[in-house]
Amino acid sequence: MKFNTKLIHGGISEDSTTGAVSIPIYRSSTFHQHKVGGAPKWEYARTGNPTRAALEQLIADLEQGTAGFAFSSGSAAIHVVFSLFSAGDHIVVGNDVYGGTFRLINQVLKRFGLTFTVVDTRDLAATSAAIQSNTKAIYLETPTNPLLRISDIQAIARLAQKQGVRTIVDNTFATPYNQNPLVLGADIVVHSATKYLGGHSDVVAGLAVTNDNQIAEQLAFLQNSIGSVLGPDDSWLLQRGIKTLGVRMRVHQENAQIIYQYLANNAKVAKVYYPGNPAGDGYAIAKKQMNGFGAMLSFELRPGLDPKKFVESLQIVDLAESLGGVESLIEIPAVMTHGAIPREIRLENGIQDELIRLSVGLEDSADLLADLQQAFAQI
Ligand SMILES: *Cc1c(COP(=O)(O)O)cnc(C)c1O
């Protein structure tokens, strides 16, 4: 089955008892057992729920893995994945990962004895050099947030494998429409399904997928033990969103390409970050490992131009955190999504005060361009 067909018919696409083509919301916390100790398929909804199971099978199909797991948020999925490791274990982490992941690592996981080294995973030599005798995994994002940096998943997975280290990729920005890390050699993929997979800014959810049976068993155990599962209503809503991922991504990317061209030729813009920029340093790898360049872009205004005034002047593009929704969303990382990172560290990582991040939505591109134009005229 090809990808766009899988979105509709992948996973469990029909309810086995009624034939319903939309998997019903099984809002039941427990299931009748016909005899004691009979190992029934469904027993208690934290352990397994048919609506959630359909979603889990769907994301496993889409990422070409063997087992999927759904959680109450992307952060919960990431927490459960890190719970595979034990006190004394070491993990190499990309230096431009989601702010909430940094917070989880620094303020929660370190207290439980996990140790971390932060590296720029674009630099293979530095990534390799960061591996220690107790290193269990390399954790990275590509493209990153907000600078859209690209790391070579296949090269990293290869060097990790050689040393018996797992590779974990947060695939939120690319989505399985553009990139399948498991096919490139990664062991686990995580998603904030709150973003493109849900796609309508109306659900908070997380997913994890693996193609390794031993990891799958451990993740199932941890999902049930920690209990941060996705409820049946949200599992249903997320499946509904995923069905249109293909058509949404096509238009998201078409619009992003148009807006990229506009920004790249705008005298008030100093710099644009976009994986589809042919002069960008990640372009060749992006072309190799992604089917499209996504619909996230960031840009810096010329020094002296006020980014706050610019984003506040927009009338169609929503000033808001998050990304991947049908509506275009714009924000200033330095004071919004990345405001918790100390300024020196933020600047060291290349996130300037005047950087603006744009999640290009599905509006008519002419309206988006007109909105940007009128906001540029005000600064
Ligand atoms: C939003 C996001 C997360 C966290 O997901 P939540 O669903 O908000 O918990 C993790 N990684 C990336 C790349 C994200 O954008």
Side-chain angles (χ1 to χ4, degrees), residues 12 19 54 82 98 141 159 161 175 188 190 315 327 356 379:
I12 301 163
F82 276 125
Y98 178 67
E141 286 173 26
L159 73 85
Q161 244 159 26
T175 84
I188 304 171
V190 294
Q315 284 163 8
E327 57 290 285
I356 295 170
I379 57 167

Side-chain angles (χ1 to χ4, degrees), residues 93-244:
V93 180
N95 69 348
D96 201 22
V97 300
Y98 178 67
T101 303
F102 265 123
R103 182 176 53 207
L104 178 67
I105 286 169
N106 287 317
Q107 299 186 43
V108 182
L109 299 172
K110 280 185 178 171
R111 291 196 286 108
F112 291 88
L114 294 183
T115 58
F116 298 88
T117 299
V118 174
V119 296
D120 185 340
T121 52
R122 290 176 300 176
D123 182 341
L124 293 175
T127 305
S128 182
I131 296 176
Q132 308 171 3
S133 58
N134 59 340
T135 302
K136 292 291 172 7
I138 300 175
Y139 180 97
L140 68 136
E141 286 173 26
T142 178
T144 62
N145 173 18
L147 294 171
L148 291 318
R149 289 172 175 159
I150 305 290
S151 291
D152 188 334
I153 297 173
Q154 192 163 43
I156 290 167
R158 266 201 206 121
L159 73 85
Q161 244 159 26
K162 268 194 213 133
Q163 312 218 42
V165 168
R166 301 295 196 179
T167 302
I168 305 167
V169 178
D170 181 332
N171 203 28
T172 300
F173 270 42
T175 84
Y177 179 82
N178 280 328
Q179 175 172 283
N180 285 132
L182 298 180
V183 176
L184 298 169
D187 301 284
I188 304 171
V189 170
V190 294
H191 280 285
S192 170
T194 311
K195 316 294 167 53
Y196 287 105
L197 292 174
H200 296 72
S201 305
D202 55 11
V203 61
V204 173
L207 298 167
V209 184
T210 183
N211 54 8
D212 178 298
N213 291 341
Q214 196 191 342
I215 294 175
E217 242 170 67
Q218 289 173 312
L219 286 177
F221 170 81
L222 290 167
Q223 183 191 40
N224 187 40
S225 301
I226 293 173
S228 47
V229 295
L230 192 65
D233 294 71
D234 286 346
S235 293
W236 179 86
L237 194 51
L238 187 49
Q239 281 172 88
R240 193 175 72 163
I242 288 174
K243 285 175 210 239
T244 57

